[in-house]
Amino acid sequence: MTSRVIGVLTVSALGVALPPRATAQQAGAVEISGFTRYTNFDNSLGMGTGVGVGGRATVYLKPSLAFELDVGRASSRSITYTPIHLRAVFDSPVGPRVAALVGFGYVRNWYGAPVDESDGGPSVLLGLRYQVSNQLWVRLGSDLDVMFHTASGSPFDFYTGNWGLQLGVGMRVRG
């Protein structure tokens, strides 16, 4: 067995053996987060990669379901990039302090001068949250934003996409 398979089996076993909902927030809880973001821009933009920062507000409707809004800012080759994500995030405990996150929603992107463009489309999030204390959380996530371009004449060039990695700290402020 490879170490990757052993790791997956270990995490799966912990998720089954440990009490559920150990990392979930209560319904009505509000979490405020800050994060640093690495973005790999779509090749058609000519921007390469960029590093930036952002903030996030999350409201839990149920212990395993939340809505979040995050706003980031990054730059590459003197072009600023501002994504705004709005998504539903599902939280599933995999251990007493760790939860897996899956999110779906919408992103609106703004690209500054000299590009001065904007676009938007569906966004997907995969991540992990670690509970440091009752009020403090660390989150690692990866997102993929896809923008469809139906006016393209090529059947193979109908979308563009940016993907990013985020590492941040969240604090429960209510709930």
Side-chain angles (χ1 to χ4, degrees):
M1 272 190 178
T2 67
S3 60
R4 182 178 294 179
V5 172
I6 292 171
V8 169
L9 291 174
T10 302
V11 169
S12 300
L14 283 173
V16 171
L18 296 171
R21 302 277 175 246
T23 61
Q25 296 281 24
Q26 300 172 7
V30 175
E31 186 178 316
I32 302 296
S33 309
F35 58 85
T36 184
R37 177 182 175 84
Y38 165 85
T39 304
N40 184 320
F41 297 100
D42 180 337
N43 291 334
S44 69
L45 299 173
M47 292 175 62
T49 61
V51 176
V53 295
R56 175 182 304 113
T58 306
V59 177
Y60 284 81
L61 302 178
K62 295 181 174 185
S64 60
L65 174 64
F67 279 108
E68 68 180 27
L69 172 70
D70 78 36
V71 179
R73 182 79 166 205
S75 63
S76 174
R77 300 184 186 180
S78 67
I79 300 172
T80 58
Y81 165 65
T82 306
I84 299 177
H85 293 96
L86 178 61
R87 44 183 166 226
V89 178
F90 302 92
D91 177 322
S92 178
V94 293
R97 293 185 174 267
V98 179
L101 306 173
V102 176
F104 304 96
Y106 182 78
V107 64
R108 187 73 184 162
N109 297 309
W110 282 274
Y111 305 93
V115 176
D116 288 326
E117 294 288 335
S118 67
D119 59 17
S123 178
V124 178
L125 165 80
L126 297 174
L128 291 172
R129 280 183 359 143
Y130 177 76
Q131 180 182 2
V132 175
S133 70
N134 218 13
Q135 299 292 118
L136 188 65
W137 308 80
V138 175
R139 176 170 154 172
L140 174 65
S142 177
D143 55 39
L144 173 65
D145 304 331
V146 179
M147 287 62 70
F148 294 100
H149 304 283
T150 55
S152 172
S154 169
F156 302 107
D157 186 25
F158 65 94
Y159 76 95
T160 58
N162 301 328
W163 65 268
L165 296 173
Q166 298 178 1
L167 178 61
V169 175
M171 185 170 179
R172 186 169 60 194
V173 294
R174 182 175 158 238

